[in-house]
Structures are given as structure tokens and as C-alpha cells.
Amino acid sequence: MAAKAVLRAESDEGVTHQLCSWVDGLTLDDIPEDLKTRAKYLMLDGFGCAIVGAHLPWTEKAVSIVLDMEPAGDCLVWGYGKKIGPLPAALLNSTEVQSFELDDWHSLAPVHANSIMLPALLAAASQQKARGNAVVTGSNLLLSTIVGYEVGPRVGLCLYGSHMLTRGWHSGPIFGHAACAASVGKLLDLSTEAIEDAVGIACTQACGLMSAQFSSEAKRMQHGFAARNGLFAALLAKGGYSGIKRVFEEPYGGFLSAFGEGSGKEPPYLADELVKGLGKTWQTEAIRVKPHASMAGTHCTIDTVAGLQKDHPEELENLTSIVNIKIEMSEAAFKHGGWTATRPLTATGAQMSCAYVAATQLVDGQVLPQQFHRDLLNRDSIWKLVERTECHYTPELGQKFEQRVTITFNDGSSISKTLDAPTGVDPPLSNEEILTKFRTFTRGLIDNKRQEAIEKLVLGLEDLADVSVLDEVLAGLTLDPIA
């Protein structure tokens, strides 16, 4: 590792300063080659999710409202060719990435990193270029994105990761503010002290309520709050505005002491997780890519049902013979996705419900964007199965991804299957599978020439002299995948 990136170990340095010092010193040479390659494929998946999400009905509504209230600026809104200021651009482009539950997530500390980092970084690059500052290269973008990939999960691990979901917090916007500030701070070449200011300003804005998942369109935008606020924090720090110092370890009103309050854990938070294994243990390796268009906690439900369909095709040929579907899961998945779904549901609620996606897999044999067209959400064939479904928290299944689905029929017979983890978690999607996902999900939404251009630019980032080229390709008009 390069000398700059080595953590200083003086006793007077808290974890906040240690983290910011590491961010300041990190170079691409410090990062393993396979990790840099993986990061580029993860980024490609994020941009693909933005293409899918740009013209969904709820995204179009958000863009229309924000464009009406914001003046023209220097930063592009992807899929629209419009320019506004950096903060609303980051907000809207993040909303696109997170708009359809297709984007990445971290398996230990849930956060959708691409929806936070990519919009904020490209908005920052456009804003800096418009003011005559240094042009951001593809190498700068790659390095800064990896910074965000590393910081967000570490913040989450300090608060026991998915335990935040069981408490009702939307974990990504909680963990993501600091990650975005550090990521943009790296892009802007801020000093260690200025990065710490940025992180402190970002952390005081962090929030996100998981009750948004039931029907609110704001669920699609909450990671955008982290993108906007983290970018805002870094730009303030670049201008010399001071932030909260030692924000993670401060005992009174500090980030961890406040969010750890009432955690039910002992200790209530784990401050050392912020810097444990920096530069040796790479959190980027635990970022997962979704094959299904639904909340990550529902993926084991989908795969378990799909396994039953494969193993018992004759029994499941007649779905009207099903009298009960029992889904057993861990605490975090149960509280996040095991709630009782009632008719009607919005697309948001449907994508967050284990009962609904189980029924969708049984009826359609897949859970992809087209399953959530507004005309399909209220199907009797789906709701008859949802009404026969029970979700249960089963402690012996473990704390992470394990689920069991048992289907009982009107003749008293039943079939059951247990999975330790869904595809995408174990095994993770390969780089080639991520590329296939990008091509498959964006096909027909943009033309082949644009598809190929985005692939080439992202997978060859180190050769890109100015990231505005990528930004401009993303800005072109895209289509609605569920129109």
C-alpha cells in the first residue's frame, strides 16, 4: 500500500479522523486489480438501473415537480436532456437508480451504494467543470466511487447492519450520507480535515423512515436525500464551511450515540467497525447485484418458490388447489418484507412484500419490471394467493438470508423447501452476469449504439479523460419499461 494510505495510529486520533485520513490518502494503486474491475461492473449495473428507472411513472412525476421548482443549471438529468443545479440533479438521478428495486445492495450493512454515489459524483464533476475547475477523469470517478462503496457499509456495521431495518430505519439513507460526503470529498481532492468537515455536515442530515415502503413514492427518493445532502456537505466543506468534528465518536449528539440509542444491543454501537481492516478487508466485495425487481429481503422468497416450481411442477400446475403458503424467515427480512399485504397495493408496496412476490413468482414464473405494471397489480390470481399466505419470523433459520416456504394443498398434502441464501448473494452474480443483466434490462429502452457506448465508457473508465462524456450519453431520452 502507498505510504499516504497507511492509517496513522496516534492515540489522539478518533475513528472519524482515521477514516478521513485513509480516504484522503487512498490511490487506485492501493486497490487490488480484481476489485477495481468488479467496481466497474457494479457501476455499470447502477447506470443500467437508472436507464430502467428514468421514465417510470413515479420518476416522471418527481422530475416534473423538481424541474418546475428549480432553475436551469449545469448538471444533467439522465434520460431527459435537461440541466439543473447539482443538488436537485443528484436527487433526481438517484431516484432513477433506486426507482425499481433493481439496484445493488450490501449484504452485511444494507445500503444501495450506486444510487447515492454515482449521481452525486457526476453532478459534482459537472458543477466543477462549469466553474473552470479541474476536469474529472474516469480514474477519479472510479476511485471516488470505491471510496463510497467502502465507507457506507462501515458506517452500517457500526450500527449492526440490518438491525437498523428491524428498528424501522431505512438503513441506506442512514449509512449513505457519510459515504457520499467522503466519496465526493475524494473527487474534489479535499484535505483530511475538510473531508471530516464534509462527513460531519452530512451526518447531521441523515434520516430515513422505513414506513415509506408501504405505499409512499418517497421510498424511491430516500437514497436521493443522501446523494443530495452528501454532495451539499462536500461542496460546503470545499468552500471552507466547518462541520462536526469526531462525529462518529462524539458521546453527546454524535452520529453513533444518537442512532445507537435504544438499539437493544450491548454495546449499543461498534465504533471500531468504521476503520477495522481498512485497505485489507474490502467492503466492495460484499456488494450484491439483484436478479429480481424487488426488495433484497424478498429474493430468497422468490428463489425458494422457484425451486419448488422446479421440483414439483405437477403439484403447482393448478394454483387454485393451494390453501396455504407459509414463509419463514429471519427477523430483519420478516420486519422488512413479512408484513401483511392488503389490497390494493402500489408498485412500491408490492415490491417490498414477500407475500406478493411469492404469489407473483407462482403466477408469472418471474419477478421482473413488467410484473409491476399498474394494470397487473390488482389481479385476482395474485391476490387469492396473497390472502392465503402467512409470513413468520423463525429464529432457528438464522439472522441473514435463510428462508423456508411450505405450500399446503386442499387434499392435505404439502411441499416445502429451505434455502440458505438467494442467487445474487450465494453465489453473487458474476461480472459476465452483471453485463448480461445490463444488456437485457436496457434493451429496447435505449438503442444498441448507446448501450455499447455506455458499456465501453464504464468498463474502460481508466481511459476516459473527461467523465462528462459518460454523463451526456446517460442524459439522452430513455423509454418506460412498463408502458
Side-chain angles (χ1 to χ4, degrees):
M1 178 176 290
K4 272 190 76 179
V6 175
L7 286 174
R8 291 179 292 173
E10 288 87 352
S11 59
D12 63 339
E13 287 188 350
V15 293
T16 307
H17 191 84
Q18 290 180 56
L19 178 72
C20 295
S21 176
W22 180 80
V23 170
D24 181 21
L26 187 69
T27 71
L28 277 178
D29 290 339
D30 300 322
I31 301 169
E33 285 299 322
D34 61 340
L35 196 83
K36 287 184 281 191
T37 298
R38 181 63 172 180
K40 287 184 284 188
Y41 279 91
L42 293 173
M43 294 169 73
L44 182 66
D45 183 67
F47 291 125
C49 291
I51 292 167
V52 172
H55 282 276
L56 291 166
W58 42 90
T59 311
E60 288 186 340
K61 186 188 298 185
V63 171
S64 175
I65 293 168
V66 173
L67 288 178
D68 186 58
M69 70 172 71
E70 293 285 348
D74 302 312
C75 303
L76 288 160
V77 180
W78 300 336
Y80 290 84
K82 304 282 188 180
K83 285 190 174 184
I84 52 178
L87 303 184
L91 175 68
L92 290 177
N93 291 336
S94 172
T95 301
E96 294 180 13
V97 179
Q98 234 277 293
S99 65
F100 220 21
E101 296 300 324
L102 275 171
D103 53 328
D104 67 285
W105 60 291
H106 192 277
S107 61
L108 301 177
V111 57
H112 303 286
N114 281 326
S115 66
I116 299 173
M117 258 54 74
L118 301 183
L121 290 168
L122 284 174
S126 295
Q127 196 256 6
Q128 293 302 295
K129 183 177 180 179
R131 279 149 184 75
N133 296 322
V135 170
V136 173
T137 68
S139 293
N140 298 148
L141 179 64
L142 177 60
L143 176 59
S144 301
T145 301
I146 292 172
V147 164
Y149 286 169
E150 292 298 311
V151 173
R154 291 176 176 281
V155 175
L157 291 171
C158 292
L159 293 166
Y160 294 94
S162 60
H163 181 63
M164 289 292 279
L165 291 171
T166 70
R167 297 173 59 202
W169 290 112
H170 192 178
S171 55
I174 306 298
F175 308 157
H177 277 70
C180 185
S183 181
V184 177
K186 183 65 176 178
L187 190 83
L188 300 177
D189 197 28
L190 300 188
S191 67
T192 297
E193 291 69 26
I195 294 171
E196 185 167 357
D197 284 325
V199 168
I201 297 168
C203 282
T204 196
Q205 301 176 80
C207 190
L209 300 176
M210 206 58 256
S211 56
Q213 75 174 25
F214 299 116
S215 62
S216 170
E217 290 173 332
K219 163 66 177 67
R220 315 290 190 179
M221 191 177 278
Q222 288 187 161
H223 277 71
F225 299 156
R228 176 194 62 192
N229 297 344
L231 172 59
F232 182 49
L235 292 174
L236 283 173
K238 179 177 174 61
Y241 205 78
S242 64
I244 301 169
K245 298 293 189 183
R246 300 172 58 88
V247 70
F248 289 110
E249 60 266 37
E250 177 59 57
Y252 174 70
F255 181 88
L256 296 179
S257 61
F259 279 110
E261 184 75 23
S263 70
K265 297 287 190 178
E266 185 55 47
Y269 56 86
L270 304 166
D272 288 345
E273 291 290 338
L274 195 67
V275 295
K276 183 187 293 184
L278 272 174
K280 297 177 181 177
T281 301
W282 296 94
Q283 295 301 325
T284 303
E285 294 177 347
I287 294 176
R288 301 294 184 245
V289 173
K290 295 180 178 180
H292 308 301
S294 61
M295 181 265 290
T298 69
H299 281 217
C300 205
T301 304
I302 297 166
D303 283 359
T304 307
V305 171
L308 288 171
Q309 290 173 306
K310 180 180 179 181
D311 296 341
H312 304 276
E314 293 182 4
E315 292 94 324
L316 290 172
E317 185 176 357
N318 179 15
L319 298 180
T320 62
S321 66
I322 295 174
V323 295
N324 180 261
I325 302 169
K326 182 180 181 181
I327 305 172
E328 300 174 81
M329 61 195 79
S330 66
E331 184 179 17
F334 173 71
K335 289 191 173 180
H336 200 7
W339 47 279
T340 301
T342 57
R343 191 176 192 176
L345 278 180
T346 63
T348 304
Q351 289 177 294
M352 309 300 291
S353 166
C354 288
Y356 189 93
V357 301
T360 301
Q361 177 63 36
L362 284 167
V363 172
D364 295 340
Q366 62 183 20
V367 182
L368 297 177
Q370 54 264 42
Q371 268 66 55
F372 299 97
H373 189 285
R374 59 182 174 273
D375 294 338
L376 299 180
L377 291 172
N378 202 33
R379 287 179 285 171
D380 288 340
S381 58
I382 296 287
W383 281 100
K384 286 177 181 178
L385 293 171
V386 172
E387 290 160 3
R388 297 169 189 171
T389 301
E390 302 172 354
C391 295
H392 298 269
Y393 165 42
T394 304
E396 60 265 30
L397 283 177
Q399 298 300 311
K400 294 293 182 184
F401 312 108
E402 302 94 326
Q403 291 191 19
R404 179 185 300 120
V405 176
T406 303
I407 299 177
T408 303
F409 302 95
N410 54 16
D411 64 359
S413 65
S414 65
I415 55 177
S416 184
K417 189 174 186 67
T418 304
L419 280 186
D420 292 337
T423 300
V425 173
D426 187 15
L429 295 193
S430 67
N431 291 343
E432 189 60 36
E433 287 171 323
I434 293 173
L435 181 58
T436 298
K437 177 189 170 184
F438 172 81
R439 291 172 176 173
T440 301
F441 279 70
T442 61
R443 185 179 299 128
L445 305 182
I446 57 175
D447 61 43
N448 292 342
K449 184 177 179 181
R450 228 168 118 202
Q451 261 190 337
E452 293 169 2
I454 294 169
E455 284 180 28
K456 183 177 180 180
L457 289 169
V458 176
L459 299 182
L461 271 180
E462 292 96 331
D463 299 323
L464 185 58
D466 182 352
V467 296
S468 66
V469 176
L470 174 60
D471 210 18
E472 288 164 3
V473 176
L474 292 167
L477 186 66
T478 58
L479 301 179
D480 179 357
I482 62 171

